[in-house]
Amino acid sequence: MDEAVKNVLDWNWGAMAPELVILGAATLMTILDLLLPAGRDRRPLAWLGLAGILVAAFLVWRNVQAEPTHILYDMYRVDDFANAFKLVFLAGAAFALLLAVADVGPGGEASSGEKAIRDRGEYFYLLLTGLLGAMMLASAADLIVLFVGLEVLALSSYILVALRRQYLPAVEGAFKYVVNGGIASAITLYGMSFLYGLTGSTNLLAVGEGLRDAYVSGNAYLVYVAFFFLVVGVAFKIAAAPFHMWAPDVYQGAPTPVTAFLAVVSKAAGFALLLRLLLTAFLGLANPLDGSPLLFSELNVYVGAVAAASMIIGNTVALRQTNVKRMMAYSSIAHAGYLLVPFASLTTMVFSQMMFYLVAYLFMTMGAFAVIQLVARDRGSEDLRAFAGLFRRSPLLALAMTLFLLSLAGLPLTAGFIGKFYLFLSAVGREMYALAAIMVLTSVVSFVYYFAVIRQMFLRTGEEGDPGVRVPPTVGTVIALSAAATVLLGLLPDPALDLLAHTFNFSEMFLPLAE
Amino acid sequence: MNGHLLTFLTFSPLVGVLALLFVPRGQTALIRAIGVLATFVPLVLSLVLYARFAPEGGLQFAEKARWFAIPVGEVAFPIEYELGVDGLSLPLVLLTTIVTAVAAVASMHIRQNLKTYFACFLLLEVGMLGVFTSQNLFLFFLFFELTLIPMFFLISKWGYLEREQAALHFLVYNGVGSALLLLAILTLFVRVGDLSFVRVAEALHQAPIPVLSDTAALVLFGLLLVAFGVKLPLFPFHTWMLRVHVQAPPPVVMLHSGIQLKMGAYGLLRMGVGFFPEVAAKLATFLAAWGLVNVLYGAVLALVQRDLKRVFAYSSISHMGIVLLGLAAMNETGFTGAVFQAVSHGFISALLFLLVGVIWERTGTSTVTEMGGLAKSMPVASGMLLAAAMASLGLPGMSGFLSEFLAFLGLFRVQPVLAAVGAVGIVLAAAYLLRAVLRTTFGPTPQPLAGLRDATAAEVTPMLVLLAFIVLLGVWPAVLGDVLHHAVQTLAAALPGRIGG
């Protein structure tokens, strides 16, 4: 390096303030958890965490307005791409935290019995460290930082899944998650080693330039190998077929708030990884014969195949599930497939498309898991039949759940419909009709299992004279906010679309930043 | 109010839904009153609409508002809220409001969960009205899909024994139809960059360089044909419709058979022929043959059914085949016949299923062989049934005659052979309808069916209303024809190498 080495403290650490706040909150929670007597209620810790998230969200929003910046020679970028994803993570983690409070609260599933969670402090602060990992991942512009973020998120998630120590499915799920996650990390790392080997740099922008040379200088097949390994690693993270096998067991075994966290935050982090890593590194590659970018003409076919497989497998296998959380796991696999469609049919819209759908998905999935959590603890079962007669018992809850399911199915006047419409657009625009057809037709298949829940709620009668489901205020808040957002994004998507198109400047991602 | 008449009309049933929310579940009389009255609001508004409609005016009562825009790079494709009616949609709007109001009155036999029932019922009406009033593809699709959800509930909660199965079949078949429609719509959106019916049609017809290749146009037309063919329904996509007609409660079948099948006919005319006149003209023989298959298939199967509901269901397939025949004529007369047939069949099948409901209420069966001699105990209902059957088989003076006559007249000019074979369907219609109706109303009365109560005044009123419209269309077709004329002329004018019929 030619220029004088900068003093560590000379960098603009203020840009990292959101992460530092989360880190601080998590540390404080850990220390308080240690100091508090064993019998004391741990729930106030969650409020501390929530306060941290709100402050961090505010700081991220301030970063959106500010110019993009970087720290430590472009290892850590604070650009709008990162900011947008961070906001999704923060919202998802806040919702998961609210659900977790109710989970260990009086009457909660994890408050006593087989499914009890004893380490309640961990329950709350591990959600925060997981969030921290996801946020680092979004900002990472260097393979090392990227991998550290990925691992911080993954390790937190493993423990979170295993929190219900006496509950056998939880142990099974956690074990599968660790093994599968470990393999995925190894594969990702292996893919990254190719990138480093080919380019001699860990900085993503430098990797992108180096790959271009490597590709034309006879190492094309190594570039392909690196791409495949990275896609496999990402596919594990977002639970896309054929690397989805862990998802149903993990989703079923984990406490419902953690399932929601995995379905939303962890999956969104996977998409951040996908875009940041693969776009920055591979976008510059072009076919030497006709100059067409590889990501548009060759590599995208493989991503398209993963998307198609996820949509088909997720939606058809979900048909056979009787456990609602397993069903939601397959539904989330299908959604990973939908979300891959804009990447497979790459256009400049890819960021807004994915972000809009992720936001819609955040609300409908969080809302659905919130209702599932309440029903499961009320009935003591996660079976589809637990929903029988919900409309009679708690009509508002049933209507909210119907809204979330309709949105997941992509029916009109919901966020899911607009989101899916937007996703289709690039597939049709790029004339990838097979992919578009798979997407619409598998969506129809998904009607069947989403409506199976609706059928239970409205058409089956539960036991007569059942009292309504008790809704704790924290879960009530999550459901109300999610329902409002699902309707609002479905009826008036303009502000959100406008925000994505104009306020967030996603192309900052490719900008070489000045010192 | 003129400026927003259509918005008021389309969403007016929502007022009823809102009102229902505040009524306690036990107040059945009040709930019923609100449910019925809420359907009268759009009825009155649609009559106002009809009165103010200028027959030669083309698209009227148009409303347009910015809704949202899809940003694509630097540009944004606007998606607008556009409503409007022309001669093609106005009759169907009226059909919707009339049949829905009648079906609401006829819901007197629904007793369980009345509040939810009427909420779904009114939401369904919003969806159906929206389909016929929307003037852009996005909005059309939105309402088209929106009808699925309340319909699913109406079938699966208030239907007969195998109702849930029927509802699921309905959902999946129509879901696939909508999926194909969405593909077609998106392709048009991407190619044309606009979604308004008028502007898409203009872009497709008048662009100096064709927007779509011949193959692309053919594929899109095929997608639309299947999408609306499921709705219409056309053989072999019809199986779901049989289940719905047998399993759904009679008032819901009235809506379904009376209105929703017409959404298919409307879509085919508006988009299929409206957007792709060249392709449609090229495929005219194929369409006519397909229509013929429907006419004969429906008629032959209706002949051997033992369940009254199945007889009428197959008869619907046969009659919807005639819509396709009229369409395949590709001339003004044929198109007029197709729309006439759609509207006329709407009233007739609503009346038929209303009667099936009334009979079921008393006998607990709809099997033809288990009934007989109903004319003795239920002279009024039996008379109505006979009248409806007569209308359906095309007795002159009633709406069925004129519609079939026009459709076949149109087709005879271009496809005399197919038309002649199709006319056999009319003969068969007489056979299966008379067989079913006479067997039910005359002959010996089985013991358990003796001494049944005749239809009450409350039941007869909606029948009379429907019958009045059937006769009105039969004796004074100008009521519909004048409105329709301009729209049909426009459609036919776009056809290649022909001067309208």
Side-chain angles (χ1 to χ4, degrees), chain A residues 93-394:
Chain A
F95 280 0
L97 210 52
L98 284 172
L99 295 183
V101 171
D103 197 30
V104 295
E109 236 187 343
S111 62
S112 61
E114 183 197 30
K115 295 181 184 171
I117 292 176
R118 311 228 182 284
D119 318 294
R120 298 187 181 169
E122 277 84 343
Y123 198 178
F124 300 133
Y125 64 68
L126 284 175
L127 284 173
L128 254 68
T129 51
L131 169 67
L132 181 67
M135 289 170 77
M136 284 179 68
L137 187 72
S139 262
D142 185 282
L143 292 176
I144 308 283
V145 183
L146 206 61
F147 190 72
V148 170
L150 190 67
E151 284 305 283
V152 170
L153 171 61
L155 291 173
S156 311
S157 310
Y158 300 151
I159 308 173
L160 281 170
V161 173
L163 277 178
R164 305 196 285 193
R165 279 188 282 174
Q166 267 89 42
Y167 183 53
L168 210 57
V171 180
E172 183 191 340
F175 187 71
K176 285 191 179 167
Y177 197 22
V178 171
V179 173
N180 275 299
I183 296 171
S185 296
I187 292 177
T188 313
L189 207 52
Y190 192 42
M192 287 179 177
S193 74
F194 278 98
L195 294 187
Y196 180 71
L198 285 169
T199 63
S201 172
T202 56
N203 180 287
L204 283 179
L205 289 175
V207 167
E209 276 173 34
L211 272 190
R212 214 176 311 169
D213 301 333
Y215 183 73
V216 290
S217 61
N219 283 324
Y221 71 99
L222 282 179
V223 173
Y224 283 120
V225 169
F227 184 80
F228 292 139
F229 278 121
L230 292 173
V231 167
V232 170
V234 170
F236 264 109
K237 199 78 215 153
I238 61 175
F243 311 105
H244 64 283
M245 304 298 282
W246 57 273
D249 290 317
V250 172
Y251 277 41
Q252 186 188 1
T256 309
V258 174
T259 312
F261 180 80
L262 292 182
V264 174
V265 178
S266 185
K267 194 180 287 266
F271 280 100
L273 173 70
L274 175 82
L275 289 175
R276 175 74 86 179
L277 179 58
L278 297 184
L279 275 189
T280 332
F282 292 89
L283 194 62
L285 298 184
N287 190 325
L289 296 177
D290 56 5
S292 65
L294 279 188
L295 217 44
F296 290 80
S297 55
E298 289 177 38
L299 298 176
N300 68 343
V301 178
Y302 303 103
V303 180
V306 173
S310 303
M311 292 188 277
I312 293 171
I313 293 176
N315 279 324
T316 49
V317 183
L319 293 174
R320 302 186 56 85
Q321 305 304 318
T322 54
N323 180 301
V324 181
K325 276 162 79 180
R326 285 186 86 84
M327 191 199 88
M328 287 298 288
Y330 283 104
S331 142
S332 92
I333 293 166
H335 277 86
Y338 302 145
L339 275 161
L340 280 176
V341 168
F343 193 84
S345 53
L346 205 57
T347 60
T348 49
M349 300 191 290
V350 64
F351 297 112
S352 338
Q353 282 174 308
M354 270 200 196
M355 282 317 296
F356 188 90
Y357 201 79
L358 276 174
V359 171
Y361 178 75
L362 160 81
F363 289 115
M364 60 206 187
T365 310
M366 277 296 167
F369 275 116
V371 179
I372 290 172
Q373 182 183 350
L374 290 183
V375 171
R377 78 177 212 175
D378 184 56
R379 304 269 101 178
S381 151
E382 285 162 2
D383 197 87
L384 262 180
R385 276 194 294 273
F387 281 85
L390 188 66
F391 183 58
R392 262 286 150 87
R393 277 184 280 148
S394 307

Side-chain angles (χ1 to χ4, degrees), chain A residues 349 392 411-413 417 421-422 424-425 428 431 433 444 448 451 454-455 458-460 491 493-494 497, chain B residues 25 66-72 113 138 141-142 145 152-153 156-157 164 171-172 175 182 186 189 191:
Chain A
M349 300 191 290
R392 262 286 150 87
L411 282 161
L413 298 187
F417 174 70
F421 184 83
Y422 200 16
F424 286 140
L425 211 55
V428 175
E431 307 196 349
Y433 294 114
V444 177
V448 177
F451 273 79
I454 294 179
R455 210 161 57 176
F458 288 85
L459 305 179
R460 298 282 180 277
L491 280 178
D494 220 18
L497 288 171
Chain B
R25 201 180 287 164
R66 193 194 131 83
W67 186 10
F68 66 97
I70 298 235
V72 179
N113 301 306
F138 187 84
F141 180 78
L142 206 129
E145 283 267 276
F152 173 84
F153 283 112
S156 59
K157 200 162 172 77
E164 293 194 9
L171 191 69
V172 171
L182 182 62
L186 271 174
F189 183 40
R191 294 299 182 82

